[in-house]
């Protein structure tokens, strides 16, 4: 690789990073639906035709922002959960839950992009799947490890037969875990992300003041419902 090629690649990487940084700020003021390559180009002092060499369309830029968001959230969850003792399943669950909430509260507009309303006219490509699964993979691993260790009890009710096909994707993430435990975990994840959505999107305003403590209590209650033992 020549020095000039390395320099060009470095410049391209820096400009790409600047474009995505400006686009993230634009998310805060215009929302994902208002994201505009031309507006980003104007802020950079770049002619609008030049920016298309980096992102051929608005959807390409959105895809990059979405992947970046999923990766940032996934990395935060992975790091928090990895710091916990492997045999303390409740602690691992709580650490992962707090990592989701902390990242979302610190990055509300990026969280809204990945867990808010769909962007009109945008269809996420398969490129987003690997990043999308990072946080879910951690949560799935907690369930799988706890089940194998006998630290998680199965619900008395069996999963309905009509849900067998829907459980297939989760079986890939939680190999060997029975379907009724899989759905128990999915219900717990829904509680987690439902809480975070309520907080990020203002549904707790003028209702719950000590949100971190309330969140901790709710996630502990959820851990109890899952039968997660320390």
């Amino acid at each position: 690789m020549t020095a000039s090629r390395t320099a060009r690649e470095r410049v391209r990487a820096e400009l790409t990073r600047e474009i995505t940084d400006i686009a993230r700020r634009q998310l805060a003021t215009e929302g994902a639906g208002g994201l505009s390559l031309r507006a980003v180009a104007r802020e950079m002092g770049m002619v609008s035709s030049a920016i298309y060499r980096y992102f051929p369309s608005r959807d390409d830029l959105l895809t990059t922002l979405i992947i970046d968001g999923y990766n940032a959230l996934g990395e935060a969850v992975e790091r928090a959960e990895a710091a916990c003792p492997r045999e303390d399943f409740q602690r691992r669950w709580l650490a992962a839950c707090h990592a989701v909430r902390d990242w979302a509260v610190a990055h509300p507009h990026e969280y809204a992009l990945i867990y808010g309303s769909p962007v009109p006219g945008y269809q996420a490509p398969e490129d987003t799947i690997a990043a999308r699964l990072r946080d879910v993979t951690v949560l799935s691993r907690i369930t799988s490890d706890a089940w194998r260790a006998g630290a998680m009890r199965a619900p008395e009710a069996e999963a309905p037969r009509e849900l067998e096909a829907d459980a297939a994707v989760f079986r890939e993430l939680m190999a060997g875990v029975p379907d009724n435990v899989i759905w128990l975990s999915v219900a717990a994840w829904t509680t987690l992300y439902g809480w975070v959505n309520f907080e990020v999107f203002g549904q707790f305003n003028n209702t719950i003041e000590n949100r971190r403590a309330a969140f901790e209590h709710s996630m502990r209650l959820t851990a109890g419902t899952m039968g997660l033992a320390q």
Side-chain angles (χ1 to χ4, degrees), residues 2-114:
T2 65
S4 61
R5 180 176 174 82
T6 301
R8 286 197 302 271
E9 290 178 347
R10 185 165 59 247
V11 169
R12 183 178 180 84
E14 290 173 355
L15 284 173
T16 300
R17 184 165 52 251
E18 185 177 355
I19 291 169
T20 54
D21 287 345
I22 292 172
R24 289 188 190 93
R25 294 199 296 270
Q26 198 176 105
L27 288 177
T29 57
E30 306 298 331
L35 187 64
S36 166
L37 282 171
R38 290 180 178 274
V40 173
R42 281 196 303 271
E43 184 168 340
M44 293 181 67
M46 175 187 291
V47 296
S48 59
S49 59
I51 199 170
Y52 291 101
R53 292 200 293 267
Y54 299 88
F55 294 98
S57 70
R58 181 210 67 160
D59 285 4
D60 290 302
L61 178 55
L62 269 176
T63 296
T64 294
L65 295 176
I66 288 168
I67 291 173
D68 286 352
Y70 279 136
N71 277 328
L73 173 59
E75 182 180 353
V77 174
E78 290 165 357
R79 185 168 55 249
E81 191 268 347
C84 300
R86 297 296 83 192
E87 70 281 0
D88 192 337
F89 305 107
Q90 185 180 115
R91 184 173 171 183
R92 288 168 63 185
W93 162 256
L94 292 173
C97 290
H98 275 291
V100 171
R101 176 185 175 272
D102 290 348
W103 187 88
V105 170
H107 305 88
H109 305 295
E110 292 170 65
Y111 181 84
L113 178 63
I114 60 178

Side-chain angles (χ1 to χ4, degrees), residues 179-206:
D179 283 5
N180 55 348
V181 175
I182 285 175
W183 289 113
L184 179 62
S185 295
V186 172
W189 304 347
T190 304
T191 300
L192 163 61
Y193 287 98
W195 175 286
V196 173
N197 276 26
F198 263 48
E199 182 169 359
V200 170
F201 300 132
Q203 299 302 315
F204 288 145
N205 292 351
N206 303 316

